[in-house]
Amino acid sequence: MVWTELVIVFAVTLGLSGLSSLLSLIDALLQPVALSDQTVAINVPQADLSLIDMLKQLLGAVRLIAWGGLGAYLLYRSGMRLAAVGLDRTRLGADAAAGVGLAALIGVPGLGLYLLAHALGLNLAVAPSTLDDTWWRPIVLTILAAGNAWAEEMLVVGYLISRLRHLGFRENTSLVTAALVRGSYHLYQGFGGFIGNVIMGLVFGRIWQRTNRLWPLVIAHTLLDFVAFVGYSLLRGKVSWLP
């Protein structure tokens, strides 16, 4: 039943996204132009009317929050206290500080890896946001960043590794499996996006295995996506080094 649960959860969440990303990468590789000459956008307009676009963006955030909530709910229903995966509120200050430090540790090398992969022709140019310049854009992008962080860290770290432990997987095997799942749904960005997120998954997963604190990972991931989403929207077309 645990295997069945894992298949169902990831078939409707990030596992399905991984398969879709693989197909997107294959499609990009079959194009007559190099990967580095192609662009992929993450947060794109979904309606012509600004208000409708904002509401549809927020619905996307609700979906992400629900994905993470599903993982937390299933762990709780299986008899695991959420504090056991680090979702209690007893160390909020320490968790926040750890999250900021972890974001700095991952963010700068991650940007360097992306720029290197793009220069080598291994990655598409990633546009984190192509939303119009509206009053609600930074607010929605911040909410989406938090939704992404919650869904990914809850599902591929807290939920997946916990369930693999239940199935008898060794810690290293669980860690690598979770990291590969994380990398898979970033394949649409190219090989650099895959490798970078696998490395991030190995670092985040090991930290969680040693500390059982999930909030630092969620906070760090939120900060990383916030800088990527909002920072790109502010710098787009204004700096020469950003593809």
Side-chain angles (χ1 to χ4, degrees), residues 124-173:
L124 291 81
V126 179
S129 172
T130 58
L131 297 178
D132 296 333
D133 186 9
T134 59
W135 65 267
W136 52 261
R137 182 177 67 180
I139 300 172
V140 167
L141 289 176
T142 301
I143 295 172
L144 285 168
N148 273 328
W150 165 248
E152 292 189 38
E153 303 311 327
M154 185 66 246
L155 286 175
V156 300
V157 177
Y159 171 74
L160 179 57
I161 296 180
S162 293
R163 299 313 267 160
L164 293 179
R165 281 175 175 172
H166 181 83
L167 290 170
F169 279 58
R170 295 182 176 180
E171 290 293 274
N172 286 343
T173 304

Side-chain angles (χ1 to χ4, degrees), residues 92-243:
L92 292 181
D95 287 343
V100 172
L102 187 55
L105 175 67
I106 294 293
V108 175
L111 177 59
L113 177 61
Y114 162 66
L115 294 174
L116 177 62
H118 182 266
L120 294 175
L122 300 175
N123 221 72
L124 291 81
V126 179
S129 172
T130 58
L131 297 178
D132 296 333
D133 186 9
T134 59
W135 65 267
W136 52 261
R137 182 177 67 180
I139 300 172
V140 167
L141 289 176
T142 301
I143 295 172
L144 285 168
N148 273 328
W150 165 248
E152 292 189 38
E153 303 311 327
M154 185 66 246
L155 286 175
V156 300
V157 177
Y159 171 74
L160 179 57
I161 296 180
S162 293
R163 299 313 267 160
L164 293 179
R165 281 175 175 172
H166 181 83
L167 290 170
F169 279 58
R170 295 182 176 180
E171 290 293 274
N172 286 343
T173 304
S174 299
L175 176 65
V176 172
T177 301
L180 290 174
V181 171
R182 185 191 296 264
S184 71
Y185 53 82
H186 291 91
L187 278 168
Y188 69 93
Q189 299 177 8
F191 298 105
F194 172 77
I195 295 171
N197 279 278
V198 168
I199 295 172
M200 177 178 170
L202 292 173
V203 174
F204 275 31
R206 182 62 84 200
I207 289 174
W208 181 80
Q209 287 177 328
R210 292 182 175 179
T211 65
N212 273 336
R213 302 300 302 171
L214 196 65
W215 284 127
L217 308 188
V218 175
I219 292 168
H221 196 148
T222 299
L223 291 174
L224 291 170
D225 280 4
F226 171 80
V227 171
F229 295 171
V230 178
Y232 178 86
S233 65
L234 295 175
L235 294 176
R236 183 175 59 181
K238 298 178 181 178
V239 294
S240 58
W241 53 268
L242 193 61

Side-chain angles (χ1 to χ4, degrees), residues 9 12-14 58-75 143-144 146-152 154-155 159:
V9 168
V12 298
T13 60
L14 296 173
L58 291 174
L59 284 178
V62 170
R63 180 174 61 249
L64 291 167
I65 294 169
W67 283 2
L70 175 63
Y73 171 77
L74 290 173
L75 288 180
I143 295 172
L144 285 168
N148 273 328
W150 165 248
E152 292 189 38
M154 185 66 246
L155 286 175
Y159 171 74

